[in-house]
Amino acid sequence: MNAKQPFQLIGFILLFGALLSGSGFLWIFGGLFLFLPAAQEWWQTRIGRWLKVDWTADQSRVMPGTPVQVTVRLHNRSWLPLPATWLRITLPDHVTVTGAAESSQSNQRTYIRLRFDVPARKNAALTLVLTPHKRGVVWLTDVECETIPLFLGEPSTLTLPLSFSLLVYPTPLPLPPLAFDETEPEGSSLSRQRQQEDMTFLRGVRSYFPGDRIKNIHWKATAKTNTLQTRLFEHTARSNWRVVGHILPSYEPSLQRHNHDENERTISCMAAISVYCRRHSLSYELFLTVKQRGRELYHLPAGSGKSHHLYVMTQLAQLHHYFTTPLTSLLRRLEDSSSKDAILLITPRLDEHVHASIDRLLRRGHRVAVLDVSGEQAALRRYETTAIQRRRAVSP
């Protein structure tokens, strides 16, 4: 028997007594008991219109281990008070929370409960401190709200919409001593005073990419193609750095192993390379062995500066549930490049197929360096062509 049936039973008894005795008080009292269940149903169907939750944070992009102060505010737009109202929020298990009334972990999730006592036509706020410990995106799209019944029955539960996201960048992996100039092809090293594009010589156009400057958009080409086009200029000095990230499948049935730790080290190493290029004002081109929107690989055009660095870090933070492609097919594409490029390969697995691809790149005149992240510390390996080794051996 639920809480609604006793009130209906008492109401019918009082109305039957009022019918026999003709008492007006029993008529009113019995009608009140019959009215309460209907009033509670009416309240439950409309309470979602009068409650609103908003979530503000002092930061939206952080590194792992950074505390984020969050203010949760519950708005009550009805004319009735809401005492002992609970909000239930679900977060990933790697997020630690301080300041919540209740907190528990289950099924790799963290559940927190917040209590509010909201007066009529007012709002109440609570402050929490969230500390994420892994890269990724912390999404909050809805919150479960539980209120005590104002008339009768059990506590009513409803879902309130919420829009909040917290981007957690990957932690840069410590790099070994790295000198980009030593791995550049001879004659193409950049001068620190001339690392910029010459705006007087237009080389062509390409599709617009997030982070491009608005002033570099070619509006005539945009009108012709009906898509945004960005101008390409000649470089006063040209960088040929290409960074290749080798992402392994999440699970390999043939080997019966998960590659989560290896992929996390690869992503952290790519984040460290992005930080290194940002600090030294170096331009680079990024390739990943994952499929991107129907393409066989992920390709980020060459760029430098703060906007390029933030875009790379954002893409690395959001890299989840990927479909991988073979590394050898990506390296085969780089073999056909007409320019002699310097390639930095970041991989947790060096097998005979990868060594064969590196040998073909060397024979075509490319310079290859490998960051091996199979262990906890990244190890740098440089590969040089036989002609270069012979020339250096002959030179005094």
Side-chain angles (χ1 to χ4, degrees):
M1 179 181 297
N2 55 25
K4 179 179 178 181
Q5 293 177 352
F7 279 82
Q8 292 178 341
L9 179 60
I10 294 173
F12 280 116
I13 293 176
L14 292 175
L15 291 179
F16 182 74
L19 183 63
L20 296 178
S21 63
S23 173
F25 175 76
L26 292 180
W27 280 105
I28 297 174
F29 203 49
L32 178 63
F33 272 88
L34 290 180
F35 170 75
L36 286 179
Q40 179 65 18
E41 292 182 358
W42 176 84
W43 170 257
Q44 289 182 356
T45 56
R46 287 165 174 78
I47 189 174
R49 305 177 183 178
W50 299 323
L51 290 183
K52 179 183 178 182
V53 177
D54 58 26
W55 183 295
T56 58
D58 58 349
Q59 301 179 78
S60 60
R61 300 167 179 248
V62 297
M63 299 296 293
T66 304
V68 180
Q69 186 172 355
V70 177
T71 301
V72 184
R73 194 176 301 275
L74 179 62
H75 300 267
N76 180 17
R77 293 178 291 182
S78 68
W79 293 98
L80 295 176
L82 294 176
T85 301
W86 292 86
L87 294 183
R88 186 172 183 266
I89 301 174
T90 305
L91 296 169
D93 59 345
H94 65 84
V95 180
T96 58
V97 183
T98 57
E102 298 179 7
S103 178
S104 61
Q105 289 188 351
S106 177
N107 297 327
Q108 298 182 351
R109 305 293 292 177
T110 300
Y111 300 95
I112 61 174
R113 297 187 68 195
L114 309 176
R115 173 169 175 163
F116 292 87
D117 295 312
V118 190
R121 307 294 293 180
K122 292 186 179 180
N123 59 75
L126 288 177
T127 301
L128 304 176
V129 177
L130 307 183
T131 307
H133 298 280
K134 292 183 180 179
R135 70 170 184 90
V137 183
V138 180
W139 295 99
L140 284 178
T141 56
D142 53 51
V143 175
E144 292 184 2
C145 179
E146 181 179 310
T147 61
I148 63 174
L150 297 182
F151 301 100
L152 60 95
E154 300 176 352
S156 56
T157 303
L158 68 153
T159 301
L160 300 178
L162 178 65
S163 178
F164 174 79
S165 63
L166 178 64
L167 184 66
V168 185
Y169 291 132
T171 303
L173 192 71
L175 294 176
L178 193 64
F180 272 51
D181 295 338
E182 296 179 3
T183 320
E184 284 280 355
E186 294 185 0
S188 65
S189 298
L190 284 176
S191 170
R192 290 296 175 85
Q193 288 78 20
R194 303 182 65 191
Q195 288 183 350
Q196 56 186 358
E197 293 178 332
D198 192 349
M199 299 297 180
T200 59
F201 296 96
L202 180 64
R203 183 158 52 109
V205 295
R206 61 169 173 82
S207 299
Y208 174 81
F209 195 79
D212 292 344
R213 296 182 177 181
I214 300 298
K215 67 178 182 180
N216 291 342
I217 294 179
H218 198 292
W219 296 108
K220 292 184 178 180
T222 299
K224 292 180 180 179
T225 60
N226 202 23
T227 57
L228 288 175
Q229 301 291 322
T230 303
R231 294 186 180 93
L232 290 177
F233 304 99
E234 293 292 342
H235 294 274
T236 56
R238 185 171 180 269
S239 175
N240 292 324
W241 263 101
R242 291 187 170 184
V243 179
V244 179
H246 183 198
I247 304 297
L248 299 175
S250 300
Y251 178 74
E252 295 178 293
S254 59
L255 300 178
Q256 296 184 356
R257 60 178 296 178
H258 294 271
N259 298 315
H260 176 73
D261 295 337
E262 291 80 358
N263 289 334
E264 288 299 323
R265 285 197 297 270
T266 302
I267 293 173
S268 297
C269 189
M270 288 188 289
I273 292 297
S274 180
V275 173
Y276 181 91
C277 294
R278 169 62 177 152
R279 290 178 178 176
H280 294 81
S281 301
L282 297 174
S283 177
Y284 65 97
E285 193 173 0
L286 182 63
F287 295 87
L288 297 178
T289 58
V290 294
K291 294 184 178 181
Q292 178 199 23
R293 299 177 182 177
R295 300 180 182 178
E296 291 300 321
L297 55 91
Y298 179 90
H299 176 217
L300 182 66
S304 61
K306 181 180 179 180
S307 60
H308 185 78
H309 169 68
L310 291 179
Y311 186 83
V312 170
M313 295 292 286
T314 302
Q315 295 301 311
L316 295 178
Q318 297 175 349
L319 196 61
H320 289 284
H321 304 294
Y322 30 76
F323 296 94
T324 60
T325 58
L327 175 62
T328 53
S329 62
L330 192 154
L331 296 179
R332 178 73 70 174
R333 290 172 176 263
L334 299 181
E335 293 177 14
D336 300 332
S337 177
S338 58
S339 60
K340 308 304 180 183
D341 299 323
I343 300 173
L344 177 62
L345 174 60
I346 303 173
T347 177
R349 184 178 299 172
L350 281 172
D351 52 18
E352 57 182 5
H353 300 289
V354 177
H355 284 293
S357 299
I358 293 176
D359 291 338
R360 289 194 298 268
L361 288 169
L362 295 177
R363 287 196 297 267
R364 290 181 177 269
H366 302 284
R367 189 77 61 87
V368 180
V370 177
L371 274 174
D372 187 0
V373 293
S374 57
E376 294 297 331
Q377 298 292 333
L380 180 63
R381 302 181 183 180
R382 288 191 177 90
Y383 295 83
E384 296 182 349
T385 60
T386 305
I388 295 177
Q389 292 177 349
R390 189 185 306 113
R391 185 162 61 250
R392 289 185 177 179
V394 172
S395 61

